[in-house]
Amino acid sequence: MKRIILFIVFLLSSSVFAQSKLSVYRLFSNELKNDRIRGKHLQLRFEKDANNNIGFDTINIQSKYIPPKIASILKNNTSFDTGKYELKIYWDLYSSEVYTHIEKVKIYEGFPNFSEFDARPVGGVKNFVNQILSDFKRNNFDPYQHTSYTNPIEVFVDKNGHHSFLSPWQIIVHLDSAKLISWKPALYNGRPKNSIFSFRLTNNHPLVTDIEMPETDQTSKVFVLDEMYKGEKVRFRSDTETIPVGRVVISFVLDLSIDRLVNPIIHRDNGNDATEFINFIQTYIPSKYSLYTSFFSHPNRYYFYIAPPMDK
């Protein structure tokens, strides 16, 4: 019986602590939303001593009024005991909402890997492109009409290194040997992840009969969810300055305080697809699908989208 009582007390105290933390996040949101720093991030470390005094290590922010607000909220809150913490704040790009997350400073152990790399063909991109050009010549295909200002060549590479060519069909139907080259999967937060490798074949000197260099698209890395939506691949990106091109495009804020994707915005819609797409994405638990790491987590807006028909 004593164990049962202790367990109930533990559950109640944990619930109160969690609720107290959420109340702090709400206070931050209410106090900081009028600073109007849309789409900006703030990350800083602070220490709370036995007298509830707050000291900041480093500050890199746009408003001199923010530190006093933060210190006042933290000083008067009992959710956090003495120690060093990391505070992360995100001012949403499309609304007046502010999202915060606080956690104790973690100590690295060993050599953790949080790298992000595009998928790569075995043997290198140059060898891969040379094989594509050899396929063109062998199949008597003139690539010049598809080398500039057209859809890029897209290769889907899953987390196990299996690959398939997605688009454009005018080019990939003329490839054979290039399709046999193996691929290394992309790394997302140090883990293998489904992704799309996108590049263009360009010829900077039209009077020369050979394409000189492959040009990779100057866009953010495009990763792909494990689950498909109505049989289609779901692409996602973050930290992008432009809205991705897609038939249906929606975005959410990663709210670390509840480990959920919230505040959906519809950027592009095709009939009634957006509502169903939102419901599909909101079933995801971000930590379960590795949208962030415990060491480099921060609130942010993520874009999820379905490619337009011309990209298939």
Side-chain angles (χ1 to χ4, degrees):
M1 178 64 71
K2 183 181 293 186
R3 289 183 178 179
I4 295 176
I5 294 175
L6 289 174
F7 180 69
I8 294 174
V9 170
F10 171 78
L11 289 179
L12 290 174
S13 61
S14 299
S15 176
V16 170
F17 178 75
Q19 291 177 5
S20 182
K21 259 193 168 184
L22 288 176
S23 67
V24 174
Y25 295 142
R26 284 193 288 269
L27 282 173
F28 274 123
S29 181
N30 291 333
E31 286 293 325
L32 301 177
K33 64 171 53 178
N34 292 325
D35 286 281
R36 302 184 184 282
I37 313 178
R38 302 273 66 84
K40 299 296 182 181
H41 296 87
L42 165 65
Q43 182 172 332
L44 58 87
R45 290 188 176 188
F46 68 90
E47 184 171 5
K48 189 173 185 179
D49 63 21
N51 296 318
N52 285 339
N53 294 316
I54 304 297
F56 295 105
D57 286 350
T58 57
I59 298 178
N60 179 22
I61 52 180
Q62 293 78 9
S63 172
K64 64 181 180 180
Y65 301 107
I66 292 177
K69 293 180 181 180
I70 294 174
S72 176
I73 293 173
L74 294 173
K75 180 179 177 65
N76 297 322
N77 188 269
T78 59
S79 302
F80 307 95
D81 53 14
T82 58
K84 293 184 178 181
Y85 294 87
E86 196 160 48
L87 167 65
K88 298 170 183 178
I89 304 175
Y90 170 65
W91 284 264
D92 185 28
L93 181 61
Y94 299 111
S95 70
S96 61
E97 295 300 319
V98 181
Y99 298 88
T100 58
H101 184 65
I102 303 174
E103 59 186 359
K104 279 203 167 183
V105 173
K106 296 183 176 70
I107 305 298
Y108 291 102
E109 295 182 2
F111 298 92
N113 181 11
F114 305 117
S115 301
E116 287 193 3
F117 292 112
D118 286 328
R120 283 291 185 270
V122 174
V125 175
K126 184 176 180 180
N127 175 68
F128 174 64
V129 172
N130 286 336
Q131 191 61 61
I132 289 178
L133 299 180
S134 296
D135 288 347
F136 288 160
K137 292 179 181 178
R138 184 168 52 255
N139 293 311
N140 297 316
F141 174 67
D142 180 9
Y144 292 108
Q145 58 182 316
H146 298 288
T147 56
S148 298
Y149 308 109
T150 59
N151 293 335
I153 299 176
E154 293 188 329
V155 184
F156 170 70
V157 185
D158 71 15
K159 64 178 65 175
N160 298 312
H162 302 137
H163 72 281
S164 59
F165 286 72
L166 300 182
S167 65
W169 67 267
Q170 298 97 329
I171 287 180
I172 63 177
V173 294
H174 298 281
L175 301 179
D176 39 53
S177 297
K179 295 179 180 178
L180 301 178
I181 294 178
S182 301
W183 283 73
K184 296 179 181 179
L187 287 184
Y188 177 72
N189 293 330
R191 303 177 181 89
K193 192 74 172 177
N194 298 344
S195 70
I196 292 175
F197 183 86
S198 177
F199 65 101
R200 297 179 191 273
L201 296 174
T202 61
N203 185 1
N204 296 325
H205 304 283
L207 297 180
V208 179
T209 57
D210 290 325
I211 294 175
E212 290 192 337
M213 285 288 292
E215 178 182 308
T216 56
D217 285 338
Q218 300 301 309
T219 59
S220 302
K221 297 179 179 69
V222 177
F223 296 99
V224 179
L225 296 181
D226 292 342
E227 283 75 14
M228 293 200 295
Y229 173 72
K230 294 184 176 181
E232 298 190 84
K233 293 176 176 61
V234 178
R235 311 174 189 210
F236 71 92
R237 288 163 54 184
S238 63
D239 294 325
T240 177
E241 295 182 358
T242 58
I243 299 173
V245 176
R247 188 179 77 248
V248 182
V249 184
I250 57 177
S251 66
F252 296 83
V253 174
L254 169 61
D255 188 345
L256 290 165
S257 66
I258 57 176
D259 192 22
R260 288 295 186 274
L261 292 162
V262 301
N263 197 353
I265 299 291
I266 300 173
H267 301 282
R268 293 191 179 92
D269 191 5
N270 182 31
N272 297 320
D273 283 352
T275 300
E276 292 184 51
F277 195 32
I278 287 174
N279 294 334
F280 170 78
I281 297 299
Q282 285 186 322
T283 63
Y284 274 68
I285 300 175
S287 61
K288 179 180 177 181
Y289 291 91
S290 304
L291 287 180
Y292 63 91
T293 67
S294 59
F295 280 99
F296 290 116
S297 57
H298 60 81
N300 199 14
R301 185 163 282 276
Y302 284 76
Y303 295 82
F304 299 84
Y305 56 107
I306 304 296
M310 63 179 180
D311 283 346
K312 292 182 179 179

